[in-house]
Every structure is written in C-alpha cells, then in structure tokens.
Amino acid sequence: MTEPLRAIQISDHVFWVGAIDWAVRDFHGYLTQRGSSYNAYVILADKVTLIDTVKHSFEREMVTRIASVVDPQRIDYLISNHAELDHSGCIPQMIHKLRPERVFASTRGVAALADHFHLDEEITAVKDGESLSLGNMAVTFVETPMLHWPESMFTYLGDERVLFSNDAFGMHLASSERFADQVDDAVVECEAAKYFANILMPLSPLVTKLLHRVAKLNLDLDVIATSHGPIWRANWHKVLELYAAWAERKPANKALVVYDTMWQSTAAMAQAVCDGLISGGASAVLMPLKASHRSDVAAELLDAGALLVGSPTLNGGMLPAVADVLTYLKGLKPRNLVGAAFGSYGWGGEAVGQVEAMLKDMQVELVADSVKVKYVPNDQALGGCVALGAAVAEKLKGLGAAG
Ligand code: FEO
C-alpha cells in the first residue's frame, strides 16, 4: 500500500502541504543529486491561508495534502512569497479552481506574477513591514529583494513563531523526514552549503544585511519554514550561523585544482600542482572535470582560498568543460581568491592565457606565472607544476587562511 499524501503539522495551526521531487537532478545547471522539495504551507486561521504553491507538475500532490487537513475550497487567502515557478507554478490553477478571496504578493511580486501568468484576477500588493489580519492571527511581510529574486519576501506568523523564508535557508534535498533535526547533520550541512554556494554566493553581501535585519527585528522564532528541503525547528539558529559564515567567505587554507585533459598531460600537471600545494601545507582538492560537476566545484569553492585551473588547448581555446565551469563560477562572484593557470599544448597554446584572463576577470589574484608545457611534461616541467602549487600554498599561508 502506498503512503497517503498527508499534510505534516509544523505548529499548532500550520501544516506543510508541499511536494517532494525525488527525480529532479538539474536546477539551471545545478546538479541536485538528492532531489528537492517544493514546500507550501497552509495556515488554519479564521482566514485559511496558503503560503506559496509548488512546481506546476506537482499540483495533485499539494492539493491532496491540503485536503487531508482542510477542504481546499475553504482557502481564503493565497500569499506568494516568490514568483519563481517552483513556488508559483500552481498559482493560476489555485486562483481558477479555488477562487480564494484575495491573493497577496510584494509590489514587485505582483508585477512578476503578471508577467508570468497574465491573469485577469487582481493580486494585492503588500509592503515591507505590513501586517495582514487572518482573523484570529496575523502575518507580517518582510521584503528580501534579490534573495532570490527582486520580488522575494518572507512572511512571518508571530502568533506561532513561524518564519516562511522561501528560498532562504533551504536546500535541495528530497527526504521523507520534514525537519532538519530528523536528517543526518552531515547531509543537511553539505546540501545547505551546496545550495548557498550555487544560489546565494553572488548575493553574499545581501545575505549579511538580511541577517542583520532579521536580528534587529528580534523575531520570536520556533520554526523557519523554508521552501526547499527540510524545515528548521529546534536547531534553526544553526542555519543562521552557517549563513553568516558562508556570506563572509573567509577563505580556508584550501585550494581547488580544477582541470580537464585530452591525453593526460594536463592531468599529470594538475597532480603535480596538487602535490606542491600539499607539500606547501595547504589542503588540496583535485577536481577533474570529467568526474566533477560544475555545481560541486562551486560547493567546494565556498570555503576555499585558492582556485587553480588547468586546460590544454583545443582549436585555439580552452576545453569546453573548463569554459563551462569558469563561466558558471564567474557568475557566482566568489571573493577573496588567489590562484593560477596551467596546461599543456601542441602548437598555439592559447588556452592558458584565456584561463588566466578569466581568472583575472573573476578578481582572482594570480600568485605566480602560469605554467605551459609542450605536449607531454617531463620531470623538469612537472617540477615547475609542483613549484606553482607550493607558491600558492605559501601565499595562502601569508594571507593567514584558516586551516
Ligand atoms: Fe526556489 Fe528562486 O526559487
């Protein structure tokens, strides 16, 4: 017998009614190896209120879960914290089938929903700090622009000390458990870090500001009800501490060596660079791009102090996998990095210069001259690669990168 799709109670009058996506593996280039969830919530107040919806294809799952605690036709209010389709995908159906009395979003949310769905029904704009009465309870809205889109906001239910934080503090993790304290700590921290690195790293200064703002609001909190992955309850403060550290991006004494190779020459150079880093006292992570997804490189970069990138030259350029990962990482705007470039070549040898230029464009401080080797590295050339790694390790030491 299959498990019925039930709502899960998260506070006296709040129920999780979302959907678990065990199959999703790609979120705009982010490998969601453990799937994800789209968390919607229903508040059983005088005005029955639905907070967000789920991805379009999961409508039945959400509605079935809602129906396990309340007739979906009784939903009075629908609040959209974020217009991205993983949360707003069922808004048109909910409006047309359930006819809620009112639908709310931030001012920019109203515009974004209009641009997505071109609905005739009115959506009411709410402002930062505004409260909305649900009859016997009330919610307050907190605008969180750019976390993750310009129109994003939090909704806070003070009566039950629940913060609906949408994309913030979430993770891509499908699980039968609904609360973070029910899942292995190492898995939770690993997936939360990967999510931060791949989605929020470029917004780190805004995350820091948001955390200060949340602290100033002095919200009484029992639960942070995110829109992806498990919900934070007793240990909710842990994710705030992690976010504060990640947003600061204080580099550790750790270097990533990322490369692709044609005939194993650049691979041999990468290994030698890695040896140099380790002998120089740094922690090193070797990431061959034939075996490393770009989003796992981003996750490893979250606390790294150095990025070393290797590519042979193919048709006057770097290998496609190297261009892919550099383009992706550039968009994530990692700060406080030192690094270097290396690679083998046959005649033109343009790739290493192109990698160097990309690293400079990413504000990576190049520590030493790049190493280029014609065709196959001999012992002397490999010694140059070891020296390159050791020079980067020395620089990390000089910067006081934490071990
Ligand atoms: Fe989970 Fe920005 O959407």
Side-chain angles (χ1 to χ4, degrees):
M1 205 169 98
T2 54
E3 183 67 18
L5 298 171
R6 293 198 178 285
I8 308 283
Q9 188 165 18
I10 68 162
S11 70
D12 287 348
H13 297 89
V14 179
F15 290 79
W16 172 85
V17 291
I20 302 172
D21 190 344
W22 297 93
V24 66
R25 290 293 180 271
D26 176 71
F27 240 96
H28 323 312
Y30 171 167
L31 175 68
T32 50
Q33 191 63 51
R34 289 187 168 105
S36 192
S37 71
Y38 316 113
N39 299 337
Y41 300 91
V42 69
I43 306 173
L44 299 183
D46 287 347
K47 293 289 185 188
V48 176
T49 301
L50 179 63
I51 308 274
D52 288 316
T53 68
V54 296
K55 203 185 253 189
H56 178 269
S57 50
F58 289 85
E59 179 190 352
R60 190 189 72 85
E61 181 167 342
M62 178 185 70
V63 172
T64 307
R65 290 190 197 279
I66 295 171
S68 73
V69 283
V70 65
D71 179 351
Q73 296 292 335
R74 284 196 51 215
I75 288 172
D76 298 296
Y77 290 169
L78 168 54
I79 294 171
S80 169
N81 277 331
H82 181 22
E84 193 164 11
L85 290 162
D86 45 340
H87 312 294
S88 69
C90 292
I91 284 180
Q93 297 96 307
M94 293 303 100
I95 289 176
H96 294 141
K97 293 178 185 173
L98 307 182
R99 294 276 159 208
E101 191 182 317
R102 298 182 76 185
V103 181
F104 301 92
S106 68
T107 304
R108 281 183 280 195
V110 171
L113 291 171
D115 287 340
H116 276 80
F117 301 120
H118 314 288
L119 297 165
D120 294 328
E121 291 79 1
E122 186 187 344
I123 298 179
T124 305
V126 292
K127 292 194 175 69
D128 185 50
E130 187 175 333
S131 286
L132 171 70
S133 171
L134 309 181
N136 56 337
M137 292 188 242
V139 290
T140 305
F141 303 106
V142 181
E143 287 185 356
T144 57
M146 293 316 296
L147 298 167
H148 156 234
W149 277 8
E151 29 55 62
S152 294
M153 67 177 187
F154 290 173
T155 296
Y156 175 59
L157 179 65
D159 300 273
E160 302 211 344
R161 300 152 64 95
V162 179
L163 180 68
F164 301 97
S165 65
N166 202 267
D167 276 340
F169 313 125
M171 69 195 73
H172 287 309
L173 174 60
S175 60
S176 54
E177 296 75 20
R178 284 282 48 81
F179 297 96
D181 53 85
Q182 297 171 322
V183 181
D184 186 304
D185 278 348
V187 172
V188 165
E189 192 164 331
C190 167
E191 292 302 338
K194 183 171 179 180
Y195 182 94
F196 186 98
N198 282 276
I199 296 175
L200 298 172
M201 185 150 61
L203 310 165
S204 291
L206 291 174
V207 171
T208 304
K209 271 191 196 161
L210 174 72
L211 292 173
H212 288 150
R213 180 135 183 262
V214 168
K216 267 194 194 155
L217 288 172
N218 218 9
L219 301 176
D220 275 336
L221 274 185
D222 283 339
V223 177
I224 297 181
T226 66
S227 283
H228 293 292
I231 295 160
W232 300 92
R233 51 181 181 186
N235 55 350
W236 60 263
H237 51 88
K238 177 181 166 175
V239 72
L240 299 192
E241 287 161 14
L242 289 170
Y243 266 47
W246 292 331
E248 195 183 350
R249 233 202 73 77
K250 212 169 171 183
N253 184 23
K254 164 182 163 184
L256 297 197
V257 183
V258 177
Y259 72 94
D260 199 4
T261 193
M262 289 166 70
W263 291 106
Q264 301 305 314
S265 288
T266 302
M269 294 174 76
Q271 183 60 61
V273 167
C274 203
D275 292 346
L277 283 160
I278 295 166
S279 65
S283 163
V285 181
L286 189 58
M287 301 197 86
L289 288 172
K290 286 185 178 43
S292 310
H293 193 270
R294 67 176 86 80
S295 56
D296 290 318
V297 175
E300 282 291 353
L301 199 60
L302 186 57
D303 65 349
L307 174 65
L308 299 95
V309 180
S311 177
T313 296
L314 174 73
N315 299 329
M318 63 185 95
L319 283 188
V322 179
D324 176 297
V325 81
L326 285 175
T327 302
Y328 188 76
L329 294 180
K330 184 183 166 199
L332 295 176
K333 299 186 173 68
R335 296 171 294 160
N336 309 330
L337 281 170
V338 299
F342 60 92
S344 70
Y345 69 103
W347 45 101
E350 295 92 337
V352 170
Q354 292 170 8
V355 169
E356 247 184 32
M358 276 293 267
L359 291 173
K360 281 185 192 160
D361 207 21
M362 290 167 61
Q363 318 293 327
V364 176
E365 181 190 340
L366 297 180
V367 168
D369 289 342
S370 304
V371 177
K372 283 170 73 170
V373 171
K374 193 159 190 183
Y375 288 121
V376 177
N378 58 15
D379 285 349
Q380 189 187 357
L382 290 175
C385 295
V386 172
L388 181 68
V392 172
E394 195 58 32
K395 179 74 178 180
L396 282 175
K397 218 181 284 172
L399 292 171

